[in-house]
Amino acid sequence: MENIIDVTEETFIEEVLERSEELPVIVDFWAPWCGPCRMLSPILERLAADPSLNFILAKVNVDNNPNLSMQYRVQSIPAVLAFVDGEVADDFIGVQPEPKIRQFIQKLIPTELDEALNDAQSLLGTRHWVKAEQMLRDLQEEHPNRADVVLNLAKALLAQGEGCEARDLLKAIKDGPELVEAEKLLPLANYLCLIAEDLTEDEDLSELEIQYRQAARLISRGNLAAAMDGLLDVLRQDRRYGEARQVMVAMFALLGDDDDLTQTYRTELASVLF
């Protein structure tokens, strides 16, 4: 079968690490002299033949590939390591009942929701905020209690300056890793919402407050760099003004650590504050 392959030290990167970027790869560390291995292998091969389980079964003979065993700390066999996105996602040792192994594999295979959410996150990562919002609203309608969907919808809204709805979404997240991210984003949501709801005329405001509010308008227009420039200018004049620092940190959380704007303006922010 095409999805059952023998892997060596020379082919491991290509056949396991790289292919696991597309499909889960289940690696079976075995040896010809290992009795339990001969019991486990047929189970894994039957599951690999099941069309409802879309994964690759990679078999590694530990006698012929000792460096792989050392690298992944395989001390007893049979050992099964599951790779997703180039990393070990889960593992087990010894022979397990077939239903338990099936569950082990099913947890690794992306669902339609997972795939749709990944697509939406890709749109967020490339700053296609409107398209991401549309996709995430559809997902939220189908899965209203999924915190990851709610969190990403809030991000799409924040990037368009829609603070009030984003704030409500973020406050609805009560636990899990999404709560940590939601708390990082809340200062930005509060800032955008507060300024959107405050109808005070500019002539009644100080120059610094006008500049502070202008950054929110720039965010709603999609000009995040100019907005951060404006917030930095506010902080240069008063390092404790409003929530300017917290808003910038929240914008970094929105964009992600790898974003060019985050890397540039995080350094700028540090130079202003310290």
Side-chain angles (χ1 to χ4, degrees), residues 234-248:
V234 168
L235 289 167
R236 287 188 183 99
Q237 297 172 69
D238 183 347
R239 288 188 293 178
R240 297 184 178 180
Y241 194 85
E243 298 288 314
R245 180 183 66 81
Q246 294 91 329
V247 169
M248 287 204 67

PDB file of all heavy atoms in Angstrom, residues 234-248:
ATOM      1  N   VAL A 234       2.400  59.168  21.319  1.00  0.00           N
ATOM      2  CA  VAL A 234       1.704  59.464  22.576  1.00  0.00           C
ATOM      3  C   VAL A 234       2.575  59.067  23.763  1.00  0.00           C
ATOM      4  O   VAL A 234       2.734  59.821  24.730  1.00  0.00           O
ATOM      5  CB  VAL A 234       0.353  58.731  22.626  1.00  0.00           C
ATOM      6  CG1 VAL A 234      -0.251  58.794  24.033  1.00  0.00           C
ATOM      7  CG2 VAL A 234      -0.620  59.312  21.605  1.00  0.00           C
ATOM      8  N   LEU A 235       3.162  57.887  23.691  1.00  0.00           N
ATOM      9  CA  LEU A 235       3.986  57.395  24.797  1.00  0.00           C
ATOM     10  C   LEU A 235       5.272  58.196  24.954  1.00  0.00           C
ATOM     11  O   LEU A 235       5.793  58.306  26.073  1.00  0.00           O
ATOM     12  CB  LEU A 235       4.290  55.900  24.588  1.00  0.00           C
ATOM     13  CG  LEU A 235       3.092  54.966  24.781  1.00  0.00           C
ATOM     14  CD1 LEU A 235       3.404  53.570  24.250  1.00  0.00           C
ATOM     15  CD2 LEU A 235       2.702  54.894  26.252  1.00  0.00           C
ATOM     16  N   ARG A 236       5.782  58.729  23.874  1.00  0.00           N
ATOM     17  CA  ARG A 236       6.985  59.571  23.990  1.00  0.00           C
ATOM     18  C   ARG A 236       6.682  60.838  24.798  1.00  0.00           C
ATOM     19  O   ARG A 236       7.537  61.355  25.512  1.00  0.00           O
ATOM     20  CB  ARG A 236       7.500  59.941  22.601  1.00  0.00           C
ATOM     21  CG  ARG A 236       8.165  58.788  21.863  1.00  0.00           C
ATOM     22  CD  ARG A 236       8.837  59.248  20.578  1.00  0.00           C
ATOM     23  NE  ARG A 236       9.401  58.112  19.852  1.00  0.00           N
ATOM     24  CZ  ARG A 236       8.800  57.514  18.825  1.00  0.00           C
ATOM     25  NH1 ARG A 236       7.618  57.963  18.401  1.00  0.00           N
ATOM     26  NH2 ARG A 236       9.365  56.482  18.225  1.00  0.00           N
ATOM     27  N   GLN A 237       5.435  61.293  24.684  1.00  0.00           N
ATOM     28  CA  GLN A 237       5.045  62.493  25.431  1.00  0.00           C
ATOM     29  C   GLN A 237       4.613  62.166  26.863  1.00  0.00           C
ATOM     30  O   GLN A 237       4.810  62.966  27.774  1.00  0.00           O
ATOM     31  CB  GLN A 237       3.901  63.200  24.696  1.00  0.00           C
ATOM     32  CG  GLN A 237       4.299  63.690  23.303  1.00  0.00           C
ATOM     33  CD  GLN A 237       3.108  64.207  22.527  1.00  0.00           C
ATOM     34  OE1 GLN A 237       2.541  65.249  22.867  1.00  0.00           O
ATOM     35  NE2 GLN A 237       2.717  63.486  21.479  1.00  0.00           N
ATOM     36  N   ASP A 238       4.016  60.989  27.031  1.00  0.00           N
ATOM     37  CA  ASP A 238       3.565  60.571  28.363  1.00  0.00           C
ATOM     38  C   ASP A 238       3.542  59.046  28.385  1.00  0.00           C
ATOM     39  O   ASP A 238       2.643  58.419  27.821  1.00  0.00           O
ATOM     40  CB  ASP A 238       2.172  61.129  28.660  1.00  0.00           C
ATOM     41  CG  ASP A 238       1.690  60.791  30.070  1.00  0.00           C
ATOM     42  OD1 ASP A 238       2.314  59.925  30.725  1.00  0.00           O
ATOM     43  OD2 ASP A 238       0.696  61.394  30.515  1.00  0.00           O
ATOM     44  N   ARG A 239       4.529  58.442  29.039  1.00  0.00           N
ATOM     45  CA  ARG A 239       4.676  56.984  29.011  1.00  0.00           C
ATOM     46  C   ARG A 239       3.540  56.246  29.722  1.00  0.00           C
ATOM     47  O   ARG A 239       3.417  55.039  29.600  1.00  0.00           O
ATOM     48  CB  ARG A 239       6.012  56.578  29.639  1.00  0.00           C
ATOM     49  CG  ARG A 239       7.203  56.920  28.750  1.00  0.00           C
ATOM     50  CD  ARG A 239       8.479  56.340  29.285  1.00  0.00           C
ATOM     51  NE  ARG A 239       8.879  56.957  30.556  1.00  0.00           N
ATOM     52  CZ  ARG A 239       9.945  56.616  31.259  1.00  0.00           C
ATOM     53  NH1 ARG A 239      10.734  55.636  30.821  1.00  0.00           N
ATOM     54  NH2 ARG A 239      10.248  57.224  32.378  1.00  0.00           N
ATOM     55  N   ARG A 240       2.726  56.971  30.453  1.00  0.00           N
ATOM     56  CA  ARG A 240       1.617  56.335  31.168  1.00  0.00           C
ATOM     57  C   ARG A 240       0.258  56.777  30.634  1.00  0.00           C
ATOM     58  O   ARG A 240      -0.761  56.566  31.301  1.00  0.00           O
ATOM     59  CB  ARG A 240       1.713  56.664  32.663  1.00  0.00           C
ATOM     60  CG  ARG A 240       2.967  56.112  33.329  1.00  0.00           C
ATOM     61  CD  ARG A 240       2.968  56.390  34.818  1.00  0.00           C
ATOM     62  NE  ARG A 240       4.151  55.822  35.471  1.00  0.00           N
ATOM     63  CZ  ARG A 240       4.396  55.912  36.776  1.00  0.00           C
ATOM     64  NH1 ARG A 240       3.538  56.553  37.576  1.00  0.00           N
ATOM     65  NH2 ARG A 240       5.489  55.378  37.282  1.00  0.00           N
ATOM     66  N   TYR A 241       0.246  57.329  29.443  1.00  0.00           N
ATOM     67  CA  TYR A 241      -1.017  57.894  28.948  1.00  0.00           C
ATOM     68  C   TYR A 241      -2.012  56.795  28.587  1.00  0.00           C
ATOM     69  O   TYR A 241      -1.730  55.886  27.790  1.00  0.00           O
ATOM     70  CB  TYR A 241      -0.784  58.774  27.724  1.00  0.00           C
ATOM     71  CG  TYR A 241      -1.995  59.624  27.415  1.00  0.00           C
ATOM     72  CD1 TYR A 241      -2.188  60.841  28.054  1.00  0.00           C
ATOM     73  CD2 TYR A 241      -2.951  59.180  26.508  1.00  0.00           C
ATOM     74  CE1 TYR A 241      -3.314  61.606  27.800  1.00  0.00           C
ATOM     75  CE2 TYR A 241      -4.083  59.936  26.248  1.00  0.00           C
ATOM     76  CZ  TYR A 241      -4.259  61.153  26.894  1.00  0.00           C
ATOM     77  OH  TYR A 241      -5.385  61.901  26.640  1.00  0.00           O
ATOM     78  N   GLY A 242      -3.201  56.897  29.161  1.00  0.00           N
ATOM     79  CA  GLY A 242      -4.277  55.967  28.838  1.00  0.00           C
ATOM     80  C   GLY A 242      -3.847  54.506  28.919  1.00  0.00           C
ATOM     81  O   GLY A 242      -3.170  54.100  29.853  1.00  0.00           O
ATOM     82  N   GLU A 243      -4.259  53.780  27.907  1.00  0.00           N
ATOM     83  CA  GLU A 243      -3.888  52.369  27.797  1.00  0.00           C
ATOM     84  C   GLU A 243      -2.966  52.167  26.598  1.00  0.00           C
ATOM     85  O   GLU A 243      -2.936  51.074  26.015  1.00  0.00           O
ATOM     86  CB  GLU A 243      -5.137  51.507  27.645  1.00  0.00           C
ATOM     87  CG  GLU A 243      -6.104  51.557  28.821  1.00  0.00           C
ATOM     88  CD  GLU A 243      -5.548  50.824  30.024  1.00  0.00           C
ATOM     89  OE1 GLU A 243      -5.036  49.709  29.854  1.00  0.00           O
ATOM     90  OE2 GLU A 243      -5.634  51.374  31.143  1.00  0.00           O
ATOM     91  N   ALA A 244      -2.224  53.200  26.234  1.00  0.00           N
ATOM     92  CA  ALA A 244      -1.442  53.138  24.992  1.00  0.00           C
ATOM     93  C   ALA A 244      -0.471  51.963  24.981  1.00  0.00           C
ATOM     94  O   ALA A 244      -0.350  51.252  23.974  1.00  0.00           O
ATOM     95  CB  ALA A 244      -0.702  54.453  24.768  1.00  0.00           C
ATOM     96  N   ARG A 245       0.240  51.768  26.083  1.00  0.00           N
ATOM     97  CA  ARG A 245       1.203  50.659  26.121  1.00  0.00           C
ATOM     98  C   ARG A 245       0.486  49.321  26.009  1.00  0.00           C
ATOM     99  O   ARG A 245       0.885  48.448  25.225  1.00  0.00           O
ATOM    100  CB  ARG A 245       2.008  50.705  27.422  1.00  0.00           C
ATOM    101  CG  ARG A 245       3.040  49.573  27.525  1.00  0.00           C
ATOM    102  CD  ARG A 245       3.771  49.608  28.848  1.00  0.00           C
ATOM    103  NE  ARG A 245       2.875  49.325  29.962  1.00  0.00           N
ATOM    104  CZ  ARG A 245       2.508  48.075  30.331  1.00  0.00           C
ATOM    105  NH1 ARG A 245       2.966  47.035  29.655  1.00  0.00           N
ATOM    106  NH2 ARG A 245       1.695  47.889  31.347  1.00  0.00           N
ATOM    107  N   GLN A 246      -0.587  49.143  26.796  1.00  0.00           N
ATOM    108  CA  GLN A 246      -1.323  47.877  26.763  1.00  0.00           C
ATOM    109  C   GLN A 246      -1.942  47.620  25.394  1.00  0.00           C
ATOM    110  O   GLN A 246      -2.022  46.474  24.942  1.00  0.00           O
ATOM    111  CB  GLN A 246      -2.422  47.882  27.841  1.00  0.00           C
ATOM    112  CG  GLN A 246      -1.896  47.906  29.265  1.00  0.00           C
ATOM    113  CD  GLN A 246      -1.717  49.325  29.805  1.00  0.00           C
ATOM    114  OE1 GLN A 246      -1.433  50.252  29.045  1.00  0.00           O
ATOM    115  NE2 GLN A 246      -1.895  49.486  31.109  1.00  0.00           N
ATOM    116  N   VAL A 247      -2.379  48.697  24.744  1.00  0.00           N
ATOM    117  CA  VAL A 247      -2.969  48.550  23.408  1.00  0.00           C
ATOM    118  C   VAL A 247      -1.917  48.063  22.419  1.00  0.00           C
ATOM    119  O   VAL A 247      -2.176  47.173  21.594  1.00  0.00           O
ATOM    120  CB  VAL A 247      -3.586  49.883  22.944  1.00  0.00           C
ATOM    121  CG1 VAL A 247      -3.958  49.818  21.458  1.00  0.00           C
ATOM    122  CG2 VAL A 247      -4.818  50.209  23.776  1.00  0.00           C
ATOM    123  N   MET A 248      -0.725  48.608  22.488  1.00  0.00           N
ATOM    124  CA  MET A 248       0.330  48.165  21.578  1.00  0.00           C
ATOM    125  C   MET A 248       0.698  46.709  21.825  1.00  0.00           C
ATOM    126  O   MET A 248       0.868  45.932  20.876  1.00  0.00           O
ATOM    127  CB  MET A 248       1.560  49.060  21.716  1.00  0.00           C
ATOM    128  CG  MET A 248       1.377  50.424  21.101  1.00  0.00           C
ATOM    129  SD  MET A 248       2.941  51.220  20.642  1.00  0.00           S
ATOM    130  CE  MET A 248       3.526  50.181  19.310  1.00  0.00           C
TER     131      MET A 248
END
